Structure formats: C-alpha cells, structure tokens
Amino acid sequence: METGKKGIALLEKGIDVSNGEVEKIAQRGYNEDLLPKTEDQRSMSWKNYFTLWMGSVHNIPNYAAVGGFLFLGLSPANIMFALVLSSLVVAGLMILNGKAGAKYGIPFSMHLRSTYGTLGAKLPGFLRGIVAAIAWFGLQNYTASLALLILIGKFWPGFLTLGGDFNFFGIGLPGLIAFTIFWGINVLIGLGGGKVLNKFTAILNPLIYVVFIGMTVWSVNAAGGFGNILAYRPNLEGVTIYSPLVVYLMIINSVVAVWAAPSSSVADFTQNTKSMKDQVFGQGLGLLVGYVIFAVSSVSILIGGSIYYGVEEWNVLNIVNKWGNLPAVILCIIVLLMTTISTNATGNIVPAAYQLSALFPKKINYKKGVLIAGVISYVIMPWKLMENQESIYTFLNMIGAVIGPVVGVMLAQYYFVAKQKINLDDLYMDTENNNSNNAYYGVNKAAYIATIIALVVSISGEFISSLKMVSSLSFIIGCGLSFVIYLLLKLKK
C-alpha cells in the first residue's frame, strides 16, 4: 500500500495542512479528534515519554501482583530480574506498535482500521477501548480509593464510621465518598487530555524517586540489611511450585498482560511525538528505569515489611498504614494515589474516550467520551467486582486474551503486510460512500480469523483445567499465535 499523493499524504516530514486537506477529511465523517496530528501539533519530546509510563509502573495493583510472584518459587533476586526483563518486552511492544502513530500522526482507532478494516475495527476497538478500559478504570479507582480512605482516616478518624450501617449495594458511606472523590479527580484529569497529563507526570516523576527509593531504604533497614531480603523465603506450604523457566514466563506474561491494553492503543500517545527517536528513546528508557526501581522497591518493601512486622504482608497499603510517622504515611499514600491517576489516564480513560469518539464521530468528541466513560465506570459499581477475587482475575485474563491476539495481528499487518505504509487518503475515505475498491473497506477477514483462533486457544485454560497453563501465558500465546496465523493466511493469497 503506497501513501497517497495528496497534500494529506506528505507524511515523512509532517503533514502540510495549508491546502485545507484536513478540513476536507473532516467533511468525510471524522471529527477533529480522529484526524492525523500535524507537525505543529506534536509536542511530546523524549522527556515526556520518559515520564509518561513512570507513574503507571508504581500502582497499588502492581505491588499486589509482586506479592503473588513471591509465592511462585523463585528467589527475590530472580523475581527482580524477571521484572526488569519483562520491562524490555513491554518497551519493545510499545515502541513497535507505536511506530504507525508516530509516523502518520494517527490515533489508535485509525491504526486499528488500517488493520481490521473500517467495519472490522469496531469489535476489537470496542473490546479494548470500552469494555477493558472502562472496567479497569473503575477497578483502579476503587482500589486506590481504599488508600484515600486510609488517608482521610488519618486526619479525621470519625470519618471511617460515618453513616453507621448505611450500605449502597455493598459499599459503606465512607467508602462511597472516597470512591466518588477519587473518581471525580480521575475524570477531571482525563478531560484535561495530553497537556494536563504531561504536566501531571512531570510533577509525579521526581516524587516517585523520592518516595519509593525512601521506602526501599526503610525496608532494607527494617529487614536488617539487603542480604536478609534476598535470603527471605515465604511459606510455600500447599503452593504449587513450577520450574524456574515456567515461572519466568508466567511473570513476563503477567507484566505484559497488565500493559496489553496500553501497548495496543499506544498510537494515541505516539501520534504526538516530535520525532521517531523521541518515542523510541523516551519509552524504552522510561520503562526500563521505572521497572528497575519498581523491581527493587516492590520486593524490598513487601519482604522488609513482612520481616519487620513479623507477619507475611503482601499489601503495600497495610504496611504503610502501620507506620508511626504520619508525614511519611501521608506522602506515600498521596504518591500511590497519583501513580494510579497516571495509570488510569494513560491506559484507560484516554483510550476509552477516543474509542467512543471513533464509534460515534458525529455525536461524540474526546471530552464527551471522557464523561460518558466516566459515568459508565461509576454505574457498573466496581466494588461489586472486588467482592469476588476469582471473577476479577477471570475477567482480566479474558480481556488480556482478547488484546494479545489483536496486538499480534496489528504488528504482522503493519510490518510484514503493509511494509510500514498506510494510505491516509484511503483510510480517511468518505464514511457515507464506502466502496469495495478501497484497501481498508469493510472487514479484514484474515485478521478476524487469526484473532478468533488465537483468542479461543489463549482462554482455553479458563474452561479446561488441564490447559490452565495456557491461560497463565495467555498474552504471549495469543499474540504469537495470531501473528503467525495472520501471516500464513496473507501469504496464501
């Protein structure tokens, strides 16, 4: 597929819109949020990308995941190394799948259309941008609101008993208030878009260094030295022990699965890059540095706290809450809340808003999409999902299994089928006058076949006990399988 020859297709050096080509595209049924970003609209440097994902690494659910990794049989040192290795895999996915957005200035929804077709993109876009993003947005808000509840309780102990026996579908009044406050903050950050997010992450980045390095120093001292942390082994009685290679793969899959959604929709951010080098260097270095800090701090804090308090404690909030130093507690909880906001904005609310805009371009713009996604995330009452931990993991595994195959097909299409070329004139065709001669018209059947087969295989372990290990490696298997199947189907033509 060759790039179009019109003014809109002058992409290698940025798009010259002086001839009105963007306005012409807008008349074809696309709103402003879906148009390619012009050179003068791109404002993100490598520093912005370096800080973009930093906060997303240090969130409360990620610390809980590390607590689970400690029961897989690997030593603390090996878990740290596996986390760092996982960051390289995540960075590779981000950079590779972000190249189309960086080169052509297109958002994820349009990148998806270039892969699955104008009609075919609706289902994977709906699953990633609406189902996964909105549900995870609500869950992250609720998880972090528990930290906010602790923070409010430090200043106002009576708040924790406010409302007495009041119960709103399984949540008390203090919890409901804390959730609503934190939910509102996240929605406001989402409404601010990329400019507000860049400023937010710029403030958050140095705080992460100060707080989590400080917590690590405390944990090492509490444990009596770093050697005691490395030598620590949790009680593994009754726990299934796997071979080291399998555990490494399980940890890598878990970390990559957490990033599955952002890695698929990373074009929403790379479309704003000043240059290809900015997104490659910024994302690669940011994720690596972030995970080196996270690997050491998470393992040290959880083990150091367990040794110090004499109880195996794998919830970082419980450890922080036991501290006697009130200023330190407040600072740590505030930073944990900020990292969750960063995660929610970059990985959930922004993609959800863009996907709503892509599905209904004439009625919903980005800001309306944020509001709609925010309201839905509240109405689904995420605290209900948290009542049953098993159902949460099943849900997230299934969403990850869907996104893995989508990422695999996107990579195969862009790099090996399209040869890194997208025809924007065809991609932004008149939505009311589609024609079958257009390369992106309708549904890419090969992409759907590859995605569905890989999806069925990668979630099979959720329903067949003998294949449970397949689900433990769902993203890796789903992504790799869809990649191979799609290329085989395309090579036959």
Side-chain angles (χ1 to χ4, degrees), residues 6 10 38 140 154 181 237 282 303 312 330 332 382 403 465:
K6 299 180 181 180
L10 301 177
T38 62
Q140 287 272 26
K154 293 294 182 180
I181 292 172
E237 184 178 351
I303 292 179
E312 289 190 351
I330 293 171
C332 287
I403 297 175
S465 58

Side-chain angles (χ1 to χ4, degrees), residues 34 68 81 90 92 100 109 141 175 185 188 191 217 247 284 308 409 416 423 436 476:
L34 300 180
F81 183 73
V90 172
S109 56
N141 280 335
I185 293 172
L188 289 174
L191 286 172
V217 172
V247 175
Y308 185 74
V409 171
F416 294 93
N423 187 320
S436 57
I476 294 175

Side-chain angles (χ1 to χ4, degrees), residues 244-292:
L245 177 60
V246 171
V247 175
Y248 260 82
L249 290 175
M250 290 172 67
I251 292 175
I252 291 172
N253 184 81
S254 296
V255 173
V256 174
V258 169
W259 292 91
S263 67
S264 67
S265 58
V266 67
D268 284 338
F269 298 96
T270 57
Q271 67 168 161
N272 296 303
T273 187
K274 291 181 178 179
S275 71
M276 190 65 71
K277 289 183 179 178
D278 281 306
Q279 76 98 1
V280 171
F281 182 72
Q283 290 201 102
L285 185 62
L287 283 164
L288 178 60
V289 172
Y291 262 96
V292 168

Side-chain angles (χ1 to χ4, degrees), residues 6-322:
K6 299 180 181 180
I8 186 176
L10 301 177
L11 302 163
E12 295 297 333
K13 297 181 180 180
I15 304 173
D16 180 6
V17 296
S18 59
N19 56 9
E21 290 294 343
V22 168
E23 286 79 3
K24 188 182 297 183
I25 288 178
Q27 294 174 1
R28 300 177 184 175
Y30 296 91
N31 63 35
E32 183 181 355
D33 297 318
L34 300 180
L35 299 180
K37 287 295 179 69
T38 62
E39 192 174 70
D40 63 321
Q41 291 176 315
R42 301 185 182 199
S43 59
M44 293 184 70
S45 67
W46 73 268
K47 295 179 182 178
N48 297 124
Y49 287 105
F50 179 80
T51 59
L52 179 62
W53 305 118
M54 188 74 73
S56 300
V57 175
H58 296 270
N59 60 67
I60 298 169
N62 275 0
Y63 273 81
V66 172
F69 296 158
L70 291 169
F71 287 90
L72 293 177
L74 283 184
S75 67
N78 272 292
I79 291 174
M80 293 180 190
F81 183 73
L83 288 169
V84 174
L85 187 61
S86 300
S87 74
L88 298 177
V89 178
V90 172
L93 284 173
M94 289 287 193
I95 291 168
L96 290 173
N97 214 31
K99 191 171 183 179
K103 182 177 180 180
Y104 292 101
I106 57 175
F108 164 65
S109 56
M110 300 311 297
H111 186 192
L112 203 60
R113 291 185 190 187
S114 72
T115 302
Y116 284 86
T118 54
L119 295 176
K122 293 185 181 297
L123 178 59
F126 177 81
L127 290 172
R128 188 277 173 257
I130 307 233
V131 176
I134 292 178
W136 190 232
F137 181 71
L139 286 170
Q140 287 272 26
N141 280 335
Y142 175 68
T143 302
S145 72
L146 299 177
L148 181 59
L149 198 60
I150 292 174
L151 184 62
I152 296 174
K154 293 294 182 180
F155 291 97
W156 180 13
F159 176 79
L160 301 179
T161 58
L162 200 66
D165 295 330
F166 172 86
N167 187 288
F168 181 76
F169 293 98
I171 188 171
L173 184 59
L176 184 63
I177 293 174
F179 173 74
T180 303
I181 292 172
F182 193 71
W183 169 87
I185 293 172
N186 278 263
V187 171
L188 289 174
I189 293 291
L191 286 172
K195 292 183 180 179
V196 172
L197 186 59
N198 286 340
K199 294 178 180 179
F200 185 83
T201 54
I203 297 172
L204 177 61
N205 189 43
L207 285 176
I208 287 175
Y209 283 101
V210 172
V211 169
F212 289 103
I213 290 178
M215 290 177 71
T216 302
V217 172
W218 170 85
S219 64
V220 171
N221 290 330
F226 195 59
N228 289 338
I229 290 176
L230 294 179
Y232 185 83
R233 296 295 185 276
N235 181 10
L236 300 179
E237 184 178 351
V239 177
T240 302
I241 303 299
Y242 301 97
S243 68
L245 177 60
V246 171
V247 175
Y248 260 82
L249 290 175
M250 290 172 67
I251 292 175
I252 291 172
N253 184 81
S254 296
V255 173
V256 174
V258 169
W259 292 91
S263 67
S264 67
S265 58
V266 67
D268 284 338
F269 298 96
T270 57
Q271 67 168 161
N272 296 303
T273 187
K274 291 181 178 179
S275 71
M276 190 65 71
K277 289 183 179 178
D278 281 306
Q279 76 98 1
V280 171
F281 182 72
Q283 290 201 102
L285 185 62
L287 283 164
L288 178 60
V289 172
Y291 262 96
V292 168
I293 297 173
F294 174 73
V296 176
S297 65
S298 61
V299 173
S300 298
I301 292 168
L302 293 173
I303 292 179
S306 296
I307 293 174
Y308 185 74
Y309 292 111
V311 178
E312 289 190 351
E313 182 57 77
W314 310 119
N315 185 328
V316 67
L317 288 178
N318 290 342
I319 292 175
V320 172
N321 193 34
K322 291 177 181 179

